[in-house]
Amino acid sequence: MSQGYSLLDEASLEGRNTFRVPARASVLADVICAEAIGDLFAYDLFSNGPLLVLGEGSNILFAGDWPGAALAIRAHAITVLHDEGEAARVRVDAGANWNDFVRWSLGHGFVGLENLSLIPGTVGAAPIQNIGAYGVEAGEFIQSVEAFDRQTGSMQRLDRAECGFGYRDSVFRRMPERWIVTAVEFELPRRREFRLDYAGVREELDRIGAEGTPRAAQVAEAICRLRTAKLPDPMVIGNAGSFFKNPVLAAADAHALAQRHPGLPVFASVDAGTRKLSAAWLIEACGWKGRRQGDAGVSDRHALVLVNHGRASGAQILALARRVAADVFARFGVALEPEPRIVGARWETPQ
Ligand code: FAD
Ligand code: EPU
């Protein structure tokens, strides 16, 4: 370990993914200090072969083994770079747990991340799909991302514009084998208006007696309560949160579909010409909520969450996902796209 990383050959990844499906990598490196990445690349397996960067495995489905090296950044320091009273610049190592960081930020009097409470995973994975919940996205607070660029073999700093954040999207997600995120720099304000418009948030604040002018910690508590009530806990039943992205359609197409299918929720999207549909609603309307094929199932609590009832393989969960997407396409003409990264198989868009 003195070299800043540890290596394990023929590593099992079963305990490293929240679906808890079996999978292996030829070698797994746990990197304690990011400076050691350069040394690791002296090994052919890391510099030339396929490389999987793994966080806490809460947004990945192993439909097969990983045919090469895997690497996880374990450094987790939080450092205040400068603090100008109104806001501060904070640098967080990629291996820090996201929710620990959210709690740290609230505990230090910053606001903004409260709506992103309880999202599983690491800080390093947050920019990959620009994690978001309850009307807020991490990209709003990210100033820059430090990443090792496998293409040039050097460390790079990408500012927010270069990260290309979108709904569950970024340059990192589009080029998964190129970037190893080592740290993220945030700009955290001390004052900011809360975003309370997402369905259920104000009602939950009322329930905990925090209506009127809530504090950030109370907003966080309301979000945690909503999330806990809606989403199955991966510690109890294997899952990766939403399995599909909410489909984004041209506004006219979304409204035409909603007219044909009364009750279909249509949400605003960043781009004024498009609308987001509820994938959960489409799946539930096809009768999939709570159904299972062997140990692979659709959660009975939330139709967008696929679950592992026990001994499902990743390939079986993927087969179920394909059936669900095929049914949604046949009934609504809408092609669902998976949110988690799928390893060991290709996703084919239903048509
Ligand atoms: P992993 O699952 O390990 O990796 C995910 C992807 O990021 C992979 O492609 C991986 O290669 C890449 N990656 C990870 N770390 C790095 C790195 N350091 N450098 C380069 N690439 C990297 N997501 C939301 O946006 N909003 C939610 O509300 C939400 N709710 C969830 C609820 C549950 C119960 C679960 C299980 C998941 C939920 N998710 C949600 C998805 C998940 O929490 C996020 O995508 C999270 O950021 C994944 O973090 P991770 O460390 O587990 O990443
Ligand atoms: N709905 C159903 N059936 C269900 C569940 C929901 O019809 O079983 C409908 C309801 O009409 C509800 C609507 O779907 O009003 C939206 O549901 P919810 O508020 O749970 O949000 P979501 O669109 O399903 C998205 C994110 C979540 C995030 C929440 C809150 C995506 C793909 N998912 O889910 O993120 O936590 O909003 O902001 O955008 C994740 O990415 O893993 C994730 C959990």
Side-chain angles (χ1 to χ4, degrees):
M1 184 74 82
S2 56
Q3 67 270 51
Y5 58 83
S6 65
L7 290 179
L8 184 64
D9 285 329
E10 284 306 317
S12 164
L13 303 176
E14 188 163 352
R16 298 230 185 190
N17 73 92
T18 60
F19 265 123
R20 291 206 295 277
V21 296
R24 304 192 86 78
S26 312
V27 59
L28 171 66
D30 277 307
V31 178
I32 308 302
C33 86
E35 291 72 38
I37 289 177
D39 304 340
L40 263 181
F41 279 73
Y43 293 92
D44 208 39
L45 253 176
F46 284 90
S47 53
N48 288 324
L51 179 72
L52 175 70
V53 189
L54 202 51
E56 293 178 13
S58 64
N59 212 27
I60 200 155
L61 176 65
F62 288 102
D65 290 334
W66 178 254
L71 176 160
I73 307 277
R74 308 295 266 186
H76 56 266
I78 301 178
T79 314
V80 177
L81 300 176
H82 20 229
D83 190 341
E84 282 153 11
E86 285 290 289
R89 276 288 174 94
V90 180
R91 180 186 181 279
V92 190
D93 285 332
N97 172 268
W98 173 262
N99 192 49
D100 287 352
F101 168 54
V102 171
R103 287 169 51 181
W104 177 95
S105 75
L106 299 174
H108 285 74
F110 298 109
V111 292
L113 301 183
E114 54 282 345
N115 291 35
L116 301 178
S117 295
L118 223 57
I119 297 181
T122 54
V123 167
I128 308 304
Q129 72 161 10
N130 180 24
I131 54 170
Y134 295 91
V136 175
E137 288 181 339
E140 296 173 46
F141 301 91
I142 294 175
Q143 283 303 307
S144 63
V145 171
E146 290 171 32
F148 184 81
D149 180 0
R150 288 183 83 209
Q151 205 162 291
T152 59
S154 63
M155 286 300 298
Q156 303 281 335
R157 176 188 297 274
L158 286 82
D159 64 25
R160 183 190 298 153
E162 290 170 311
C163 292
F165 292 129
Y167 165 62
R168 300 292 190 269
D169 198 24
S170 72
V171 289
F172 310 107
R173 190 178 155 116
R174 294 192 284 271
M175 292 185 213
E177 295 248 3
R178 176 167 177 188
W179 301 103
I180 304 172
V181 173
T182 55
V184 183
E185 226 175 274
F186 296 86
E187 172 96 359
L188 298 179
R190 283 210 165 75
R191 259 189 305 201
R192 187 175 190 263
E193 225 172 279
F194 295 127
R195 301 236 181 106
L196 308 177
D197 289 339
Y198 197 96
V201 176
R202 289 182 202 279
E203 292 78 353
E204 202 58 50
L205 282 167
D206 282 358
R207 243 170 257 137
I208 61 173
E211 65 278 22
T213 50
R215 288 175 288 112
Q218 292 173 312
V219 177
E221 188 190 338
I223 298 290
C224 291
R225 287 168 60 104
L226 278 171
R227 292 184 64 95
T228 309
K230 273 193 211 177
L231 295 169
D233 179 353
M235 296 298 280
V236 177
I237 185 163
N239 75 84
S242 302
F243 193 86
F244 298 102
K245 295 190 201 180
N246 283 326
V248 177
L249 265 67
D253 295 342
H255 289 304
L257 202 62
Q259 278 207 322
R260 289 202 299 281
H261 303 283
L264 167 62
V266 177
F267 304 111
S269 161
V270 231
D271 172 359
T274 63
R275 296 288 184 278
K276 229 188 253 175
L277 302 180
S278 162
W281 191 93
L282 298 171
I283 294 168
E284 186 168 348
C286 289
W288 274 107
K289 190 170 180 176
R291 273 174 67 189
R292 58 194 279 183
Q293 279 185 176
D295 270 357
V298 176
S299 168
D300 56 3
R301 295 176 63 179
H302 201 299
L304 199 43
V305 181
L306 300 194
V307 292
N308 180 359
H309 284 286
R311 302 177 71 87
S313 66
Q316 287 166 333
I317 292 170
L318 183 62
L320 173 68
R322 286 183 171 138
R323 279 194 64 190
V324 169
D327 280 3
V328 166
F329 188 75
R331 169 122 188 244
F332 298 103
V334 174
L336 296 180
E337 234 186 87
E339 182 190 286
R341 176 162 177 191
I342 294 171
V343 165
R346 260 168 171 271
W347 179 259
E348 285 128 32
T349 308
Q351 47 194 321

